[in-house]
Each structure stands twice: as structure tokens, then as C-alpha cells.
Amino acid sequence: MTVLLTGAAGFIGMHVAEALLARGDRVIGIDNLNPYYDVGLKRARLARLEAQPGFRFLAIDVADREAMLDLAESQAEVTRIVHLAAQPGVRHSLVDPYAYVQANVMGHLVVLELARRLKRLEHLVYASSSSVYGGNHDLPFTETDRVDHPVSLYAATKRSGELISESYAHLFGLPQTGLRFFTVYGPWGRPDMAPWMFSEAILEGRPITLYDAGRLKRDFTFVEDIAAGVVGCLDRPAPTAHPRLLNIGNHRSVEVRRFVAVLEEALGQRAVVVDTPRPATDVPETFADIEAIRAVCGYEPRTPIEAGIPRFAEWFLSWRKRG
């Protein structure tokens, strides 16, 4: 099987690619290597993938219509797509809103246009986000909850992608599954994510900021569990005219201060904590109902933070030694 994977140099993308390659699939990886964070980290991820048979990389921006649509002819053997390329980061959307619309809305549309031109396409799995639930107070979050009150532009662009996918399923019969990711962490993570920023500050003796004394709760999900869920869903195509939207999380809501305590233990150093009120872009709690994805592909997250954080910390320390 040949899989087209966008965002291949990204955090989740690298892990999904490795899971596909490990079972013998061919992976065509796409990424534009944008400088939102350290391009050296992205290239290091790619180096891991390019060392494995079956992987090929193409430097393409998913919002580049001409380059992407050319793939319909040059990569006609593609039977499945995993679309993970996006502009991430809730707070950065306040700084550069145009980048989010370009990558997350236009990029999503271009991928759908490519998909409907691929004659052998069996399934498209794409990344949405738990951010679409906005200020929802009903827990756990379920796929039937209303999602029409986003509290960030990032969330609005991800919800836009879901709606565009709905229309393309109706118009063109594209088999699609959208996955709402919940706070993914683990080795090879991003420098703008809390585990990385907390670890760097702790090791350097700088203070870390915890909103509302660390009482915010997140459904922290280990990246290898996420990758297994993505691949499991990819193998079970959705009905052509009825796209699926599924939560993919750990089904555990953990206080951020507990997450920090486990991280302190893994790093062997205490954090200096500064308490700050919660910003408007952050919700008090996220908690995934995963019954739907469990029914679709048997998804079962297996990694609590007590196991996942030490694995992240081990990788992070080794990465820092590389300079």
C-alpha cells in the first residue's frame, strides 16, 4: 500500500510514518519545512525516516495548488492519504492569523482537491483538534457535542476543515475520517509545546508559568498511542457519503500540576513555578470520550503519563546533548 502523508517532518507525522513503514507500507512524505520552529529538528525527523526503506520525501507546501494537484498524476499509485500538515499552536494564531487560514483552510481544501483526483483512493484520514470543542463544559467531550463556539482562530480553522470535508464527502463521495487530537506529547515533540518548554526551563532554573495554579486539566495522550490510532482508522475506510469525526485521546483528564510533578521526577530537578490567570484562548479542561474510535478500530491508549513522560524526558535530554 502507498500512503501519501502530509506533515511528514512534523511531530505526529514522523511517528505515523514510522508506524506505516514498520509494517511494510510505502510512504510518500510531504512537508514545506516552514520555520515556525527549529527546522533542524524537522530535518532530524526526516533523517530518521529517510534511513528506512519505503520512504520518499517531497518538499511541497500543501497550499501550493499546482504542485499538489500534479501529484494526482505523478503519484497515481497512492491509495490512502494521511493529512497532518497544519499551522499548529493556539496562541500563535493571535500573532499571525493569515498563516492559519493559509495552511489549515486553504491547505485542507487543496488536499481534498488532490484526493478527489486520485482514481485509486480508498480513504483520507485528516487531523482536526480537540480545540473545536471551545468552551464546552460537558465532560467528557463527545463527537455529538456542539462545536460552533471556538475560542481561538486555530480552533475555527480546524472546524472549517471539518465542514469542508463534510461537503466534499457529499459532493464527491470521498471516504474520510477526521481525528480530533487531544494534547499529544512524547519524544520528538515540538519546542512550542508545554513538555518541551517546561523541561527546558526546569533544567535551566528558569520559572515556568502555570495557569490557575496548574489546576487546568488536559487529556495528555502519548504520541505512539496516537500513531496506532491513526493507522487503525486508516485501515478502516469510512462510508463514502458519511465522513466520520472521531476523538483520539487518552480518556484521562490530568491536572497540569500533576503533569509537571511527574516531569520534575523524570528530570531529577524541581520547577520554579509562577501562577498566572488562565488566558482567554485556553479552556479549563479537555477530556476525550473515545467510545466511537474504539468501536471503529479497537483503539486503546496504553500509556499513562507516569510511563510516557519519562520516555519524553529521556529523549529530551539526549536531544539537548546534541546541541
Side-chain angles (χ1 to χ4, degrees):
M1 181 171 68
T2 301
V3 180
L4 183 69
L5 172 66
T6 74
F11 169 38
I12 298 174
M14 187 204 79
H15 287 276
V16 171
E18 289 194 325
L20 292 167
L21 293 168
R23 68 181 197 172
D25 292 338
R26 295 179 297 279
V27 176
I28 301 169
I30 289 175
D31 206 291
N32 68 348
L33 299 175
N34 76 51
Y36 167 65
Y37 64 85
D38 180 16
V39 175
L41 175 60
K42 297 180 181 184
R43 293 194 183 280
R45 295 182 187 133
L46 279 178
R48 281 175 60 93
L49 297 177
E50 289 175 325
Q52 303 178 54
F55 181 80
R56 186 154 63 94
F57 176 66
L58 300 174
I60 298 176
D61 187 327
V62 291
D64 182 338
R65 283 176 280 178
E66 184 176 350
M68 287 292 289
L69 297 184
D70 281 349
L71 295 177
E73 294 184 6
S74 64
Q75 310 298 332
E77 76 276 16
V78 170
T79 55
R80 298 180 188 178
I81 297 175
V82 179
H83 174 39
L84 302 178
Q87 175 59 53
V90 170
R91 295 185 192 92
H92 188 66
S93 64
L94 297 172
V95 177
D96 188 3
Y98 302 105
Y100 287 77
V101 174
Q102 178 73 358
N104 301 357
V105 180
M106 179 59 78
H108 190 82
L109 175 63
V110 172
V111 169
L112 292 173
E113 281 293 311
L114 164 64
R116 76 183 184 91
R117 287 166 169 77
L118 286 170
K119 294 180 172 54
R120 298 179 58 194
L121 187 72
E122 300 168 351
H123 197 195
L124 163 63
V125 172
Y126 68 89
S128 185
S129 168
S130 62
S131 296
V132 301
Y133 289 109
N136 182 22
H137 296 291
D138 296 327
L139 297 169
F141 295 165
T142 64
E143 294 87 349
T144 54
D145 291 343
R146 292 187 63 174
V147 286
D148 50 5
H149 294 288
V151 298
S152 70
L153 177 64
Y154 170 74
T157 62
K158 283 301 189 179
R159 179 59 180 150
S160 296
E162 293 180 351
L163 293 172
I164 295 169
S165 279
E166 179 80 26
S167 68
Y168 267 63
H170 171 72
L171 293 170
F172 306 112
L174 279 180
Q176 298 175 67
T177 297
L179 298 176
R180 291 172 173 171
F181 292 108
F182 280 72
T183 316
V184 187
Y185 75 98
W188 294 96
R190 300 199 318 262
D192 66 324
M193 299 174 79
W196 185 302
M197 292 191 296
F198 288 166
S199 296
E200 202 162 54
I202 290 170
L203 292 172
E204 294 174 2
R206 293 184 287 107
I208 65 172
T209 299
L210 295 187
Y211 301 124
D212 293 351
R215 288 190 292 270
L216 301 189
K217 291 184 175 182
R218 294 291 179 265
D219 194 331
F220 294 104
T221 313
F222 193 62
V223 67
E224 289 181 6
D225 290 336
I226 288 285
V230 171
V231 173
C233 287
L234 185 67
D235 288 344
R236 293 159 179 83
T240 54
H242 301 283
R244 293 187 297 234
L245 282 172
L246 303 173
N247 291 336
I248 181 166
N250 204 33
H251 195 56
R252 298 177 179 90
S253 193
V254 178
E255 286 192 332
V256 174
R257 58 186 176 184
R258 171 60 184 159
F259 187 93
V260 170
V262 178
L263 185 58
E264 289 174 321
E265 184 176 353
L267 294 172
Q269 195 164 324
R270 296 296 301 274
V272 179
V273 176
V274 174
D275 181 23
T276 303
R278 173 173 61 92
T281 54
D282 283 36
V283 298
E285 183 172 359
T286 63
F287 182 16
D289 183 323
I290 60 172
E291 288 305 313
I293 190 172
R294 183 179 281 144
V296 167
C297 68
Y299 172 73
E300 202 64 55
R302 305 183 184 280
T303 315
I305 62 169
E306 291 77 13
I309 290 176
R311 290 187 57 188
F312 165 77
E314 180 182 15
W315 171 82
F316 183 75
L317 291 170
S318 68
W319 177 258
R320 277 173 60 91
K321 288 179 181 177
R322 292 174 56 169

